[in-house]
Amino acid sequence: MECYTFCFVKDIFGYKSSRCRSVLFVIGSILTCGFLLLLFYWRPEWDVWSKCIQCTLQEADIVLLRTTDEFKIWTKKKVMWVQLSFPSSTARADQQHSLFSDETSLLHRIVIKPDLKVRFIEIQKIRYIWDLYEKQFIRAERLIFGPNVIDIRISPIWKLLCKEVLNPFYTFQIFSVCLWLSEDYTEYSVALIIMSFISIAFSVYDVRQQSIKLYRLVETHNNMMVTICRKGGGYEKVPSSELVPGDVFIVTGNKQVLSCDAILIHGGCIVNESMLTGESIPVTKTPLPSTVSCSSWKSSTEDYKRHILFCGTQVIQSKATSEGEVRAVVYRTGFTTTKGELVRSILYPKPIDFKLYQDAFRFLLCLAAIATIGMIYSVCILVLNGIPPGKVVRKALDVITIAVSPALPASVTIGIIYAQERLKKKGIYCINPQRINMCGQLNLICFDKTGTLTEDGLDLWGLVSTKGKGLQNIFKFNNGDTLPWGPLFGAMVSCHSLILLDNTLQGDPLDLKMFEITRWELKENTMLKLQNEETHSFIVKPGPKANKFHERFQLNCSVTQSKALKIAHAGISLSEQEASVASPFTSKIPNIDCVPQLIKEGRAALVSSFCIFKYMALYSMIQYVGVLCLYWQANTFGNYQFLFEDLAIATVIGITMSFNHAYPQLDPNQPPGQLISPPLLLSVILNVILSLVLHVFGFIMVQQQPWYTPTDIYRACNPTNLTSDGKTTSNKTTDTIAIALRNEDSYKSYENTTVYLLSLFNCISTAIVFSKGKPYRKPIYTNYIFMIVLLAQFGTCLYFLFGKHETLYNALDLVCTPRSWRVYLLVMVLVHFTVIMAIEEILIENRCLKVFLTKCCKVKSTQRYKKMQRIITKEPNWPPEDDTDYTTSCTMDEAALEAYSNMNYEHDKDSKTASNGFANTTSKQIEEGSSKKDNI
């Protein structure tokens, strides 16, 4: 089982530190109150570009790495030095001469003389050393070994807190809270601080628990005693941390856990590789043949893994030979071992390539652009209305926090949290919650073997042999008949991987059932030497009720599934062994019932994320439109108006909207997987336009009412101030009082009351429209808490509209309007709700209309299996007959059909071709002073 670093090939650039640039950076950080420091923390490449000068890798003290995958992630690394030391001056001279006399040796190429220093960088726990001749960094796993430990450090809580708080999302929240506190918007600021603190606490707790779990996984690995063989023939017990490649140690058996990857050179043993495979099936290991050369032993056609003892596996039994004890030579140590690579893959996971998160970021940028337009509009309008500059700045910045809600990014994860809890109740545990949404887009499920697809117990139903290109008659075992003697019978009693352990036959369940049906017995367990190769052999012989047949056979080792679990978008482990640590999901259900459950919950979580994201974006736009309307008259919503809409309406809806459980049946169609898609964009754009129409229409119409006056906010409900024809009369005393009140509290106005009430009802109606049910979630009426919340909110808003409670109106900066106008507002709200509901159901969510438009526009699916299906449909010779040469008869007529390439596999394949751990590089030297681009 060969493991290599999982990260993609990287581009590397060299930089040299500049004092002048560093001084300018410090000055800029002070002038920006630390914002420049924070920005460079988020973007390490900007930090290097601003403080360093580009140079060759040979001169560099800082290197900048960039992955060549689709993510293009930059990493900053400092070039470090290690000093070689010798015990005495005499020994120093002798050893120097022996080490450096061979100019072709690798050591001669990396040690800088006469200082005896080695230059290196460390990337994800692996050291890369500078090659003086090749002018590149090479992987140094077998040169500078370091201790044989898998060092997992549990970060202190304060460091985890700092890292979490410095996330751009929480930084924007801090900015918003500071702005709101400057405007005395204290209540919602405190509420947001509390919610953020709870979110941060849960996140830090989860990360720390994962670190502790990983630490316990490798804790025993770092504290073992191993018996090694010395050159003089003696033995010495040493800590496992002191092992280096080339050391020979004794394999004792007796459930010995291996602390390194080793090559078996003498004797044989049986190991339990459940840490890697997730299955407790014993595997037999045989020694490496003495005739195999060092350079070609892994390139042999035979399975070389049967000679390797992997780190973390358990030796159940060892079998010595005539040459002495069972011995193995250390092959790899520390993080370069199979277990170390597994741990590294958990410490440094590949970024999740999911369109939802990329689209969410682009959507946020669009909202930021809209907020910028609103900010420019706000500055112009408020300045023209004579508002003081300080207040203009605060109100303009308010527009940003309104258009881009601080709660918007977090809204995507709410559905995931609830889905994770529901999965936990069903016995499915998740260590990477972000993968749950990806389960909603799964279109291919791969099962590794029988036993996963079926129950634990297996029964052999029948056997079918082949002749030429056809199948022969079926031989059924269900009536107790014995298979007649022949080649198939010989294969069944000899071609398997069964072993005798404590006088019990053990091995793969399929092999076990196949052997039992022959009624033969497995007897002896010996180590034989055939053609200079030690082979682990058994003798099989007929049982009391069987025919006679003898055969020697050689065993093979099992294949790991941990790498498949890591590469898959949503790997599920049905085991509680250590291999489950590499899998995003672990199921307590020992069968595939967990798969449809995970898909259903994934679809429900994905749809919930879309619903909440759309709602929070629309809620921000609704508030944004309302505020910009009121800015026209240098007015805005009051603090308690904002508080009620933000906390009692939007936040409560955002929390309860995802309570819908997954629909019990799987729908044939997948839910949409992109935020930036025509249906979703059309839905958002149309709802924003209709909200704008609703608010602007209400804003204009209230000014056309006969009782309206911009100066007296109490005249509408005072009939003494109306003439017989409905027009208002001038009352200087009332006007003076009204103006004084407006100066004291500038929020109260007829426009404010109208726009605010429309905004509240708009938020509620949008939540109803966007709360999707069937076919991926249960209907909205099954979400009882959400229904109670909607009814309570709608009833409260109706009370605001018709209640005329003086204390309440004063607290919310509302004013009294005639009852006829309030009825008119309610009609506007109902018409608006009917229109947006019709658009969503008839236009956006109409599958029949989508299919019709797809056919009319002749749109073809870009999914590979759909392309292949179209090719097969057009192929007259498909399916191939017995005499058909199907390798040449099928014509590929879709130019857009591209071959699928698994980047993880391609990287592993490239890594295996690299010799002696050298980095793969074909780069040429370029001019002095420019960057050298190598592959690591």
Side-chain angles (χ1 to χ4, degrees):
M1 182 182 304
E2 188 70 39
C3 283
Y4 293 85
T5 180
F6 55 90
C7 60
F8 284 99
V9 176
K10 294 176 182 289
D11 296 332
I12 180 169
F13 306 90
Y15 290 87
K16 185 188 299 183
S17 300
S18 170
R19 289 187 178 181
C20 294
R21 292 192 177 194
S22 298
V23 171
L24 291 175
F25 167 75
V26 172
I27 296 173
S29 299
I30 295 173
L31 294 177
T32 58
C33 300
F35 178 74
L36 192 61
L37 194 66
L38 185 62
L39 184 63
F40 287 172
Y41 170 78
W42 295 333
R43 303 300 297 266
E45 67 273 23
W46 292 1
D47 181 44
V48 174
W49 293 339
S50 64
K51 296 193 293 185
C52 302
I53 302 172
Q54 197 169 6
C55 64
T56 61
L57 288 177
Q58 188 171 3
E59 301 172 315
D61 55 10
I62 297 289
V63 295
L64 200 57
L65 303 162
R66 181 183 62 193
T67 59
T68 56
D69 59 4
E70 66 273 23
F71 300 103
K72 304 294 182 185
I73 298 175
W74 291 88
T75 308
K76 171 187 172 184
K77 290 293 178 182
K78 186 177 180 181
V79 178
M80 296 179 285
W81 299 82
V82 62
Q83 176 76 52
L84 300 182
S85 59
F86 294 90
S88 65
S89 59
T90 304
R92 179 187 179 96
D94 294 339
Q95 291 189 22
Q96 277 187 271
H97 178 73
S98 61
L99 288 173
F100 306 127
S101 58
D102 185 5
E103 295 185 358
T104 62
S105 69
L106 183 60
L107 194 61
H108 178 78
R109 299 166 59 182
I110 66 168
V111 178
I112 299 175
K113 298 175 282 290
D115 298 331
L116 299 182
K117 289 184 177 180
V118 177
R119 188 167 174 258
F120 72 96
I121 56 176
E122 186 170 300
I123 305 173
Q124 297 181 353
K125 304 291 186 180
I126 299 295
R127 288 181 176 180
Y128 294 83
I129 297 180
W130 179 251
D131 189 315
L132 299 173
Y133 292 89
E134 294 292 333
K135 307 297 183 185
Q136 67 177 3
F137 286 100
I138 61 174
R139 183 160 173 167
E141 59 191 63
R142 302 185 191 175
L143 188 62
I144 297 182
F145 308 114
N148 177 32
V149 294
I150 300 177
D151 186 21
I152 303 295
R153 298 178 181 176
I154 302 176
S155 299
I157 294 178
W158 67 266
K159 186 177 289 187
L160 295 175
L161 282 173
C162 291
K163 186 176 181 179
E164 193 72 21
V165 170
L166 292 179
N167 183 288
F169 162 60
Y170 289 114
T171 304
F172 180 66
Q173 280 197 337
I174 293 172
F175 163 76
S176 302
V177 166
C178 292
L179 178 64
W180 294 338
L181 289 175
S182 69
E183 297 179 322
D184 296 329
Y185 188 33
T186 307
E187 291 82 356
Y188 187 67
S189 300
V190 172
L192 189 61
I193 291 172
I194 294 173
M195 289 188 292
S196 298
F197 179 79
I198 294 173
S199 176
I200 291 173
F202 274 109
S203 178
V204 168
Y205 174 79
D206 185 57
V207 171
R208 188 169 173 84
Q209 287 299 111
Q210 292 298 326
S211 298
I212 294 173
K213 183 178 180 180
L214 199 57
Y215 174 80
R216 289 173 180 170
L217 173 66
V218 301
E219 185 179 15
T220 55
H221 168 278
N222 301 329
N223 300 285
M224 300 180 188
M225 297 299 292
V226 181
T227 302
I228 63 173
C229 305
R230 293 302 185 189
K231 288 184 178 180
Y235 300 96
E236 181 183 355
K237 278 197 171 185
V238 298
S240 60
S241 59
E242 296 182 8
L243 290 177
V244 295
D247 283 344
V248 178
F249 66 95
I250 303 298
V251 181
T252 61
N254 299 322
K255 297 186 178 181
Q256 175 188 4
V257 178
L258 296 166
S259 60
C260 63
D261 284 355
I263 301 172
L264 195 60
I265 57 175
H266 291 297
C269 56
I270 299 173
V271 299
N272 180 1
E273 293 187 343
S274 61
M275 190 279 293
L276 304 177
T277 64
E279 300 175 3
S280 301
I281 298 175
V283 178
T284 300
K285 298 292 182 177
T286 58
L288 183 70
S290 57
T291 57
V292 178
S293 64
C294 296
S295 59
S296 62
W297 71 279
K298 284 171 56 180
S299 61
S300 173
T301 56
E302 67 170 336
D303 188 4
Y304 66 88
K305 300 171 188 175
R306 63 193 178 97
H307 309 305
I308 301 180
L309 304 175
F310 295 109
C311 177
T313 59
Q314 187 181 65
V315 180
I316 303 174
Q317 190 179 85
S318 61
K319 295 176 173 57
T321 64
S322 57
E323 297 183 7
E325 304 95 335
V326 180
R327 285 174 287 171
V329 60
V330 177
Y331 177 40
R332 289 176 300 214
T333 59
F335 278 102
T336 63
T337 63
T338 304
K339 185 174 181 179
E341 290 287 348
L342 176 62
V343 173
R344 288 179 63 232
S345 68
I346 300 171
L347 289 174
Y348 309 103
K350 177 189 171 184
I352 297 177
D353 182 17
F354 194 32
K355 198 70 176 175
L356 174 62
Y357 305 115
Q358 300 174 16
D359 289 348
F361 179 73
R362 296 190 186 103
F363 200 87
L364 288 175
L365 291 180
C366 293
L367 292 180
I370 295 173
T372 304
I373 296 172
M375 188 169 63
I376 296 172
Y377 161 85
S378 304
V379 171
C380 296
I381 293 297
L382 295 176
V383 168
L384 291 175
N385 279 275
I387 304 300
K391 195 171 184 179
V392 170
V393 172
R394 290 198 302 271
K395 294 301 179 184
L397 292 176
D398 258 345
V399 174
I400 297 178
T401 62
I402 292 172
V404 186
S405 173
L408 186 57
S411 63
V412 180
T413 63
I414 294 178
I416 299 175
I417 295 172
Y418 297 146
Q420 185 178 13
E421 290 301 316
R422 290 194 293 266
L423 286 171
K424 190 180 294 185
K425 292 178 181 178
K426 296 175 182 177
I428 304 173
Y429 297 87
C430 177
I431 64 172
N432 191 347
Q434 300 301 324
R435 299 271 181 176
I436 295 178
N437 267 346
M438 300 189 75
C439 295
Q441 283 290 292
L442 296 180
N443 56 13
L444 178 64
I445 312 297
C446 298
F447 300 97
D448 61 340
K449 60 196 171 299
T450 306
T452 300
L453 292 173
T454 63
E455 60 185 7
D456 291 338
L458 290 173
D459 288 318
L460 190 58
W461 174 78
L463 185 145
V464 182
S465 61
T466 62
K467 184 176 182 181
K469 294 183 179 180
L471 300 176
Q472 303 301 304
N473 294 330
I474 301 175
F475 181 88
K476 297 182 180 180
F477 292 97
N478 55 1
N479 55 5
D481 294 339
T482 303
L483 182 69
W485 169 250
L488 284 177
F489 189 91
M492 291 178 66
V493 298
S494 61
C495 298
H496 50 73
S497 58
L498 301 178
I499 61 172
L500 274 177
L501 186 62
D502 297 330
N503 295 321
T504 303
L505 199 61
Q506 294 190 13
D508 185 272
L510 185 60
D511 287 352
L512 192 62
K513 196 67 182 179
M514 182 182 66
F515 186 78
E516 286 176 351
I517 206 73
T518 65
R519 301 175 183 175
W520 278 44
E521 296 176 353
L522 198 65
K523 285 294 182 183
E524 297 184 24
N525 176 9
T526 60
M527 293 297 299
L528 301 179
K529 196 152 190 170
L530 300 175
Q531 298 178 352
N532 297 321
E533 177 183 352
E534 290 183 353
T535 176
H536 197 168
S537 301
F538 290 96
I539 293 179
V540 291
K541 70 176 187 178
K545 301 179 181 180
N547 303 321
K548 294 187 176 181
F549 179 74
H550 294 74
E551 181 67 26
R552 300 184 188 275
F553 65 93
Q554 197 169 350
L555 296 179
N556 199 357
C557 66
S558 61
V559 180
T560 182
Q561 68 181 12
S562 60
K563 181 170 287 189
L565 291 173
K566 291 184 290 182
I567 294 175
H569 289 106
I572 310 173
S573 173
L574 304 185
S575 168
E576 296 183 35
Q577 302 292 337
E578 293 178 354
S580 63
V581 179
S583 173
F585 300 94
T586 301
S587 174
K588 298 286 186 181
I589 307 171
N591 54 54
I592 60 171
D593 285 346
C594 61
V595 176
Q597 293 291 342
L598 188 58
I599 295 175
K600 286 186 285 188
E601 289 295 346
R603 289 183 173 187
L606 183 61
V607 171
S608 296
S609 296
F610 274 66
C611 293
I612 299 176
F613 197 94
K614 284 174 60 177
Y615 174 75
M616 296 301 290
L618 258 297
Y619 142 72
S620 298
M621 288 293 99
I622 291 169
Q623 204 172 74
Y624 172 82
V625 168
V627 169
L628 293 187
C629 284
L630 295 179
Y631 274 9
W632 185 261
Q633 289 189 332
N635 198 0
T636 186
F637 292 151
N639 284 352
Y640 284 103
Q641 289 178 327
F642 274 124
L643 180 65
F644 182 81
E645 188 170 7
D646 290 340
L647 197 59
I649 301 292
T651 302
V652 177
I653 287 176
I655 292 174
T656 58
M657 183 183 281
S658 294
F659 282 173
N660 290 54
H661 287 230
Y663 199 72
Q665 295 178 348
L666 277 176
D667 191 78
N669 301 296
Q670 294 177 351
Q674 297 181 357
L675 276 174
I676 309 299
S677 61
L680 189 139
L681 287 178
L682 183 62
S683 173
V684 172
I685 292 172
L686 289 178
N687 274 276
V688 171
I689 292 174
L690 291 173
S691 295
L692 178 64
V693 170
L694 176 69
H695 287 78
V696 172
F697 184 75
F699 183 82
I700 295 174
M701 288 303 298
V702 72
Q703 295 176 345
Q704 308 301 318
Q705 300 306 307
W707 42 263
Y708 171 79
T709 174
T711 55
D712 189 355
I713 58 176
Y714 300 106
R715 184 173 296 177
C717 292
N718 189 353
T720 58
N721 295 327
L722 295 176
T723 62
S724 59
D725 58 359
K727 296 183 179 179
T728 59
T729 60
S730 177
N731 187 323
K732 293 184 179 179
T733 305
T734 307
D735 287 348
T736 303
I737 296 173
I739 292 172
L741 290 172
R742 286 293 304 275
N743 289 335
E744 180 183 348
D745 190 349
S746 61
Y747 300 131
K748 290 184 177 181
S749 70
Y750 294 122
E751 292 90 348
N752 175 289
T753 300
T754 298
V755 171
Y756 180 68
L757 291 174
L758 290 176
S759 179
L760 292 182
F761 282 108
N762 196 357
C763 288
I764 297 173
S765 60
T766 302
I768 298 173
V769 172
F770 283 171
S771 184
K772 306 296 180 187
K774 188 179 177 181
Y776 307 114
R777 304 197 308 169
K778 287 185 177 180
I780 184 176
Y781 57 80
T782 62
N783 188 348
Y784 304 116
I785 297 178
F786 184 60
M787 292 300 298
I788 293 172
V789 165
L790 289 178
L791 291 174
Q793 290 176 342
F794 186 73
T796 303
C797 291
L798 282 179
Y799 183 73
F800 290 169
L801 184 62
F802 293 104
K804 278 179 57 179
H805 193 283
E806 184 176 352
T807 304
L808 180 65
Y809 269 39
N810 288 332
L812 290 176
D813 297 309
L814 300 176
V815 296
C816 179
T817 57
R819 184 173 296 274
S820 59
W821 175 246
R822 294 178 236 170
V823 173
Y824 190 70
L825 289 180
L826 184 60
V827 172
M828 290 171 58
V829 168
L830 294 176
V831 171
H832 175 265
F833 170 73
T834 304
V835 172
I836 62 175
M837 178 63 81
I839 289 175
E840 196 73 16
E841 295 298 325
I842 299 175
L843 185 62
I844 306 299
E845 298 294 332
N846 192 329
R847 284 188 179 177
C848 296
L849 178 62
K850 181 180 178 181
V851 173
F852 174 75
L853 293 175
T854 301
K855 290 182 178 180
C856 291
C857 301
K858 297 181 179 180
V859 177
K860 295 182 178 180
S861 174
T862 59
Q863 293 183 340
R864 291 184 179 90
Y865 78 94
K866 288 287 188 181
K867 291 180 181 179
M868 185 61 72
Q869 187 179 33
R870 292 195 292 268
I871 293 173
I872 293 174
T873 303
K874 296 177 183 178
E875 177 56 48
N877 297 324
W878 191 269
E881 301 293 338
D882 253 2
D883 56 351
T884 302
D885 185 8
Y886 55 85
T887 59
T888 58
S889 65
C890 185
T891 304
M892 303 293 284
D893 59 353
E894 289 220 11
L897 183 63
E898 57 185 30
Y900 173 73
S901 176
N902 188 319
M903 295 303 296
N904 295 65
Y905 170 76
E906 292 296 333
H907 172 71
D908 285 351
K909 185 172 67 175
D910 292 341
S911 299
K912 292 177 183 179
T913 61
S915 62
N916 297 326
F918 273 78
N920 301 324
T921 174
T922 57
S923 311
K924 295 183 178 180
Q925 296 293 330
I926 58 176
E927 295 181 47
E928 196 75 17
S930 63
S931 69
K932 176 178 176 64
K933 186 176 181 180
D934 297 350
N935 292 330
I936 289 184

